[in-house]
Amino acid sequence: MAIFSAPTVRVMKNRLKVLRAEHNWSQAELADYLGVSRQTVNAIETGRYDPSLPLAFKIARLFQLPIEAIFQDDLAEESEVQKKD
């Protein structure tokens, strides 16, 4: 009998809340700029939802930053730790 482990869930970390605060925008205002609901913005900020690639590009364009400056996954952090070892 084979035992399988549950897949690891990766969480995309992001700076959306910080960037939004720097612009003094509410979640509702940011949602309007992006064409999504306020609940979507909240879910992205809290890490409960990873944006689609088109939405991530839209966010990056709005803040005039590369996607990598806004979003980072666990794997990127792990590879940085491995480089230091």
Side-chain angles (χ1 to χ4, degrees), residues 52-66:
S52 65
L53 193 53
L55 181 54
F57 273 104
K58 200 181 244 189
I59 293 167
R61 278 192 302 270
L62 179 65
F63 290 106
Q64 299 179 341
L65 293 169

Side-chain angles (χ1 to χ4, degrees), residues 8 42-43 60 73:
T8 303
N42 180 270
D73 67 4

Side-chain angles (χ1 to χ4, degrees), residues 11-20 30 34 36 40-77:
V11 176
M12 182 85 58
K13 295 182 180 183
N14 68 75
R15 298 180 50 229
L16 192 58
K17 187 173 184 174
V18 171
L19 293 169
R20 179 176 59 78
L30 178 56
L34 297 172
V36 299
T40 298
V41 170
N42 180 270
I44 294 169
E45 287 183 355
T46 58
R48 289 181 286 125
Y49 173 73
D50 288 336
S52 65
L53 193 53
L55 181 54
F57 273 104
K58 200 181 244 189
I59 293 167
R61 278 192 302 270
L62 179 65
F63 290 106
Q64 299 179 341
L65 293 169
I67 289 176
E68 297 87 358
I70 302 170
F71 299 98
Q72 186 175 29
D73 67 4
D74 299 17
L75 294 176
E77 286 184 5

